[in-house]
């Protein structure tokens, strides 16, 4: 049977992802990605250190990130994302910006980190007061609070598990229990930290129960990376994604009108 008429696979847009060596949720990241986009993942080198501030610093060293980005450039992604919350907030706001600059310089392409994408998402939602849930130890959790404070974000309540390993094994019920403990004040939204903590299926449940937007580390990472190439993350009943889709629909007529004007101007110049 001749199948040459099919013409080959559809063109794919690429998103490069740099993840820590112990990242175990590749499949979860893919759930936010539209069909026309492919993820290209690479990991930082293994280091025999448990989840801690020391590990966060080790997996986010600039040369480590540069090498990972240079490897990803072999498959020509349009944007690269550093999928690690603690690694991108441990140096504060200035440290996060320096990480993005190092990745951009290494690959000459757009870059984003989980913690930077979180601030973008909070700004898009107009959220200034948030509840926080983490699987981390107290010291790592406090470092996240310091990062948020530097960005002008107040933490109204917090809950953490104190884990130093195997975070990807935490069940949804534990995430829900932490969320209920953390939302004690007047928060604009809830943030669930750590890209190694499963969150995809729990977000709609928590949004319905808590009656507020719920953001997670992997969600904002994919949202932020896709946004930078003009694409929208996908996922049911998630306020961040619903708002982004609405903004995209509202801007579509304006963009179409601008294209028409450009075409008319071009025709006039050619005439």
């Amino acid at each position: 049977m001749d199948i040459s008429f099919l013409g080959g696979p559809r063109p794919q847009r690429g998103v490069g992802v740099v993840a820590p060596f112990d990242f175990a949720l590749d499949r979860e990241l893919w759930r936010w990605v539209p069909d026309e986009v492919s993820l290209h993942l690479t990991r930082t080198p293994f280091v025999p250190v448990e989840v801690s501030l020391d590990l966060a610093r080790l997996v986010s060293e600039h040369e480590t990130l540069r090498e990972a980005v240079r490897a990803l450039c072999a498959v020509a992604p349009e944007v690269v994302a550093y999928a690690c919350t603690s690694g991108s907030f441990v140096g504060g706001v200035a440290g996060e910006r320096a990480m993005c600059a190092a990745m951009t310089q290494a690959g000459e392409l757009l870059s984003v980190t989980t913690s930077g994408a979180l601030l973008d998402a909070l700004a898009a939602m107009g959220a200034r007061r948030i509840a926080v849930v983490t699987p981390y130890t107290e010291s790592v959790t406090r470092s996240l609070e310091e990062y948020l404070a530097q960005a002008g974000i107040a933490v109204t309540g917090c809950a953490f598990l104190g884990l130093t390993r195997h975070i990807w094994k935490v069940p949804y019920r534990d995430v829900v229990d932490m969320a209920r403990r953390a939302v004690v004040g007047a928060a604009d939204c809830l943030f669930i930290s750590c890209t190694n903590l499963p969150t995809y299926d729990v977000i709609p449940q928590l949004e319905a129960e808590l009656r507020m937007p719920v953001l997670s580390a992997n969600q904002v990472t994919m949202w932020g990376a896709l946004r930078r190439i003009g694409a929208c993350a996908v996922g049911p009943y998630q306020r961040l994604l619903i708002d982004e889709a609405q903004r995209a629909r509202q801007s579509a007529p304006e963009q179409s009108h601008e294209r028409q004007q450009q075409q008319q101007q071009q025709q006039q110049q050619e005439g």
Side-chain angles (χ1 to χ4, degrees):
M1 179 180 177
D2 183 9
I3 60 171
S4 59
F5 68 92
L6 293 176
R10 292 175 56 189
Q12 288 282 293
R13 308 184 70 183
V15 171
V17 178
V18 180
F21 65 89
D22 63 345
F23 180 72
L25 300 181
D26 305 53
R27 184 176 178 83
E28 175 161 291
L29 289 186
W30 276 95
R31 299 179 74 181
W32 277 290
V33 178
D35 289 343
E36 68 275 12
V37 175
S38 286
L39 296 183
H40 309 298
L41 278 84
T42 190
R43 282 167 170 74
T44 61
F46 171 77
V47 290
V49 179
E50 294 182 332
V51 177
S52 60
L53 290 175
D54 287 339
L55 178 62
R57 295 185 183 100
L58 286 170
V59 297
S60 61
E61 291 178 344
H62 287 190
E63 188 52 37
T64 296
L65 297 178
R66 291 190 189 100
E67 290 180 5
V69 170
R70 285 193 284 265
L72 286 169
C73 285
V75 291
E78 296 180 49
V79 61
V80 64
Y82 179 50
C84 180
T85 324
S86 61
S88 54
F89 68 60
V90 69
V93 171
E96 189 278 330
R97 291 173 181 164
M99 292 173 63
C100 279
M103 290 191 294
T104 296
Q105 183 181 36
E108 298 184 357
L109 76 175
L110 300 170
S111 62
V112 63
T113 73
T114 299
S115 296
L118 168 61
L119 297 186
D120 290 344
L122 292 174
M125 305 190 76
R128 307 298 298 175
R129 296 168 56 82
I130 70 172
V132 171
V133 163
T134 91
Y136 311 134
T137 61
E138 182 175 1
S139 61
V140 180
T141 302
R142 298 307 170 217
S143 182
L144 170 58
E145 292 180 336
E146 291 169 6
Y147 171 81
L148 291 167
Q150 289 179 20
I153 305 298
V155 175
T156 60
C158 179
F160 58 92
L161 288 175
L163 299 180
T164 59
R165 63 177 63 192
H166 298 161
I167 290 173
W168 68 88
K169 296 181 180 180
V170 173
Y172 281 150
R173 63 176 176 274
D174 290 355
V175 177
V176 171
D177 288 344
M178 280 195 296
R180 290 168 177 163
R181 296 199 306 272
V183 180
V184 294
D188 299 320
C189 75
L190 168 72
F191 173 57
I192 307 171
S193 190
C194 190
T195 54
N196 226 5
L197 184 67
T199 57
Y200 184 91
D201 294 307
V202 81
I203 292 174
Q205 174 187 338
L206 283 174
E207 289 198 337
E209 177 181 331
L210 302 175
R211 298 184 180 277
M212 67 174 58
V214 174
L215 307 178
S216 80
N218 282 330
Q219 179 204 48
V220 299
T221 303
M222 288 296 93
W223 171 84
L226 291 164
R227 194 176 189 229
R228 279 161 173 75
I229 62 172
C232 291
V234 296
Y237 311 112
Q238 299 177 32
R239 175 68 178 276
L240 177 66
L241 309 189
I242 292 171
D243 288 355
E244 184 72 10
Q246 290 176 342
R247 284 192 291 269
R249 285 194 295 269
Q250 291 170 356
S251 65
E254 297 176 2
Q255 292 174 353
S256 177
H257 180 65
E258 290 177 0
R259 284 195 295 270
Q260 290 177 357
Q261 288 183 323
Q262 291 172 355
Q263 290 174 353
Q264 290 174 356
Q265 291 174 356
Q266 184 176 1
Q267 290 173 355
Q268 290 173 357
Q269 291 172 356
E270 293 174 350

